[in-house]
Amino acid sequence: MRSVDIEEPGQRFSEGGLLLHELSHRINNEFASIIGTLSLASARTKSDETKAALTLVQDQLHSYAQVHHVLQMPEHNVRIDAAAYLRKLCKAIGRSTLDARQIELVFVDRPFQMESTRCWRLGLIVSELITNAARHAFKHSGGVIRVEIVPLSSYIKCRVVDNGNADAVARPGRGLRIIHALTDSLGGTFDQHFGLQGTTATLTFPSGL
């Protein structure tokens, strides 16, 4: 894919990368615009109940915007603290999607580093697996999703485990196809096991050292 210049000095992105950055920029602007509109409406209303409701919506949008920010395609392919990145992602997802449903998100990791583009792909997979678990495993509020990252000498193992009751029929869809495509891009393998005590999704891929 050909490279094209954008405004940042010294930066060059593929055409696909440029489109992703432009889309992210537009989404960021739209989040900011909506939040600003809600803030203005809250300042103008005289109703305490309405003001409180608008504040809750603002907070929720801030949380969704934070998830989007963390999942933006990195501008530089450099080695980063992958555990810190994934911890930040899980915290943002918890606030935006899980807290209101009383779903606890537990993140367990060991310190490790990855190239930022590979870590971004891992983050997309983890985000999709958490979202799938929240949507399908818990019909009602309450439950636990555990994300565990185990870096080994030549590969990394990531497990996302829930204690819900979804079955295999409920899961297939576009999200799963995206997960498989991202797994292929990492040169890894992906497996899901559905049981009476919940679902375990396991991703294994080369560390890229």
Side-chain angles (χ1 to χ4, degrees):
M1 187 174 289
R2 68 184 179 87
S3 293
V4 294
D5 288 320
I6 60 175
E7 294 181 359
E8 287 87 343
Q11 293 289 315
R12 292 182 70 84
F13 293 96
S14 68
E15 185 174 11
L18 174 62
L19 293 173
L20 278 176
H21 280 279
E22 174 62 19
L23 178 60
S24 290
H25 176 69
R26 288 176 178 270
I27 293 172
N28 285 333
N29 286 344
E30 288 168 0
F31 268 123
S33 177
I34 295 170
I35 291 170
T37 299
L38 289 170
S39 179
L40 183 60
S42 179
R44 288 177 174 175
T45 185
K46 295 181 180 180
S47 167
D48 290 339
E49 184 176 353
T50 301
K51 191 182 294 291
L54 289 171
T55 298
L56 285 175
V57 175
Q58 281 182 260
D59 291 343
Q60 189 76 5
L61 285 172
H62 273 297
S63 297
Y64 280 117
Q66 181 62 28
V67 173
H68 171 71
H69 177 74
V70 176
L71 288 176
Q72 288 183 116
M73 181 181 180
E75 295 186 359
H76 306 275
N77 190 25
V78 296
R79 294 190 69 78
I80 64 170
D81 184 338
Y85 171 85
L86 293 168
R87 190 180 304 112
K88 183 177 181 180
L89 173 63
C90 287
K91 186 175 181 179
I93 294 173
R95 287 178 175 175
S96 66
T97 307
L98 307 180
D99 288 353
R101 297 183 56 193
Q102 298 180 337
I103 299 173
E104 180 183 4
L105 181 58
V106 178
F107 178 67
V108 181
D109 73 284
R110 301 174 193 169
F112 72 107
Q113 292 192 335
M114 285 179 65
E115 291 181 350
S116 55
T117 54
R118 288 174 66 78
C119 190
W120 169 59
R121 289 178 170 86
L122 174 58
L124 290 170
I125 294 171
V126 169
S127 175
E128 187 65 33
L129 288 172
I130 293 172
T131 300
N132 281 350
R135 180 182 300 122
H136 298 294
F138 305 108
K139 299 293 189 296
H140 306 288
S141 295
V144 178
I145 300 172
R146 178 185 175 93
V147 178
E148 182 178 5
I149 309 293
V150 182
L152 300 168
S153 56
S154 59
Y155 63 94
I156 294 168
K157 183 165 292 195
C158 170
R159 296 188 187 93
V160 178
V161 183
D162 67 64
N163 64 349
N165 57 6
D167 56 37
V169 176
R171 293 294 183 92
R174 180 178 297 177
L176 191 58
R177 291 196 295 272
I178 291 172
I179 288 171
H180 281 294
L182 289 167
T183 299
D184 289 344
S185 75
L186 290 172
T189 60
F190 176 77
D191 178 68
Q192 264 186 319
H193 173 73
F194 300 88
L196 296 177
Q197 303 301 317
T199 301
T200 299
T202 304
L203 168 68
T204 306
F205 60 96
S207 60
L209 294 175

